[in-house]
Amino acid sequence: MKLKGCIFDLDGVIVDTARYHSLAWKRLADQLKIHFSEEDNERLKGVSRMDSLDIILEIGNMRLNEELRKEYASLKNRWYIEYISRMTPDEILPGSLEFIKELKEAGIKVAIGSASKNTPLILERVGMENLFDAVADGNRISKAKPDPEVFLTAAKMLGIEPVRIAVFEDAVAGVRAALNAGMICIGVGSSGILSEAHSVIPGLNKINLKKLEKIVKLSGYE
Ligand code: BG6
Ligand code: MG
């Protein structure tokens, strides 16, 4: 098959915002007096804002009414926005820009597929607001990863069939969403955690178009 498009998750793949999410959730957990470990934090990656809050409340064995849940989720988001508002293009993860430019020069369309409602702000802060052919984010979708909605939306916006698309993801829920969409998936991070992906790379500085085409071929997508 000929690869026609690539979809990138944003948080943890293109930019290191995963640490800002983590800082803001930790601050909220401390306020609620809930102990929140590194492993717990892994469970929040790729998961929507409300679902992340529910995971933290579950860890703390705490139940809150709808109104308070919304209040705490927006408190976390206010803190998160404080952190990301100070972001600069220096926080683009190594290799991202070079790889995306290589794909575009080869005529491969590129899109963002992120659960985050803060996607437009982040892209603007790091100077990537005009780089992508399509941006599918948390403002456009209603079903969180591992549901394939965000990636299928991006595919539709690009006008490309899912089987001709490769997704780059750092979260287990995101890898599952890509596979559920019928796309090839490259995990970005640790192969121990992202073992369900077709292939795993430590970061976008470890891939180029030639290597990607090889992965596509080996995955039996041809
Ligand atoms: C994902 C992150 O990209 O977006 C999650 O991996 C986050 O950690 C989710 O909860 C929603 O983000 P936001 O910015 O809309 O709260
Ligand atoms: Mg991510």
Side-chain angles (χ1 to χ4, degrees), residues 10-11 17 19 34 52 61 68-69 74 84 93-94 102 105 122 125 127 154 158 160 187 218 220:
L10 179 65
D11 297 318
T17 37
R19 67 197 173 102
I34 295 175
S52 302
N61 223 344
L68 273 176
R69 280 173 68 242
S74 58
I84 59 174
L93 287 168
E102 186 191 4
E105 273 159 26
I122 295 168
R125 290 304 307 153
L158 292 176
I160 300 175
L218 288 173

Side-chain angles (χ1 to χ4, degrees), residues 22-37 56 62 72 75 79 83:
S22 163
L23 276 175
W25 283 125
K26 178 85 177 64
R27 198 163 155 188
L28 187 73
D30 286 349
Q31 182 160 320
L32 295 172
K33 305 214 172 354
I34 295 175
H35 178 73
F36 171 65
S37 69
I56 290 174
M62 195 182 238
Y72 282 122
L75 179 61
W79 290 331
Y83 302 137

Side-chain angles (χ1 to χ4, degrees), residues 134-155:
V135 175
D137 66 22
N139 302 298
R140 283 186 176 258
I141 54 152
S142 56
K143 292 181 228 125
K145 298 172 186 175
D147 189 281
E149 186 186 9
V150 70
F151 294 135
L152 292 176
T153 303

Side-chain angles (χ1 to χ4, degrees), residues 55-127:
I55 292 174
I56 290 174
L57 293 176
E58 183 203 297
I59 293 165
N61 223 344
M62 195 182 238
R63 265 168 219 266
L64 293 179
N65 64 31
E66 189 58 22
E67 204 182 316
L68 273 176
R69 280 173 68 242
K70 282 196 183 137
E71 216 170 278
Y72 282 122
S74 58
L75 179 61
K76 179 266 171 179
N77 195 50
R78 280 206 297 281
W79 290 331
Y80 179 65
I81 287 179
E82 266 175 39
Y83 302 137
I84 59 174
S85 301
R86 292 193 287 258
M87 284 179 81
T88 66
D90 288 348
E91 288 173 73
I92 297 174
L93 287 168
S96 312
L97 216 46
E98 295 79 352
F99 180 49
I100 291 165
K101 284 186 178 155
E102 186 191 4
L103 293 171
K104 287 179 70 149
E105 273 159 26
I108 293 175
K109 298 266 185 232
V110 291
I112 287 286
S114 167
S116 174
K117 294 188 168 152
N118 292 301
T119 297
L121 173 62
I122 295 168
L123 291 179
E124 192 253 312
R125 290 304 307 153
V126 301

Side-chain angles (χ1 to χ4, degrees), residues 1 3 5-7 155 158 160-167 183-184:
M1 84 86 181
L3 187 75
C6 285
I7 304 177
L158 292 176
I160 300 175
E161 292 167 83
V163 291
R164 290 176 181 270
I165 292 177
V167 172
M183 297 171 183
I184 182 161

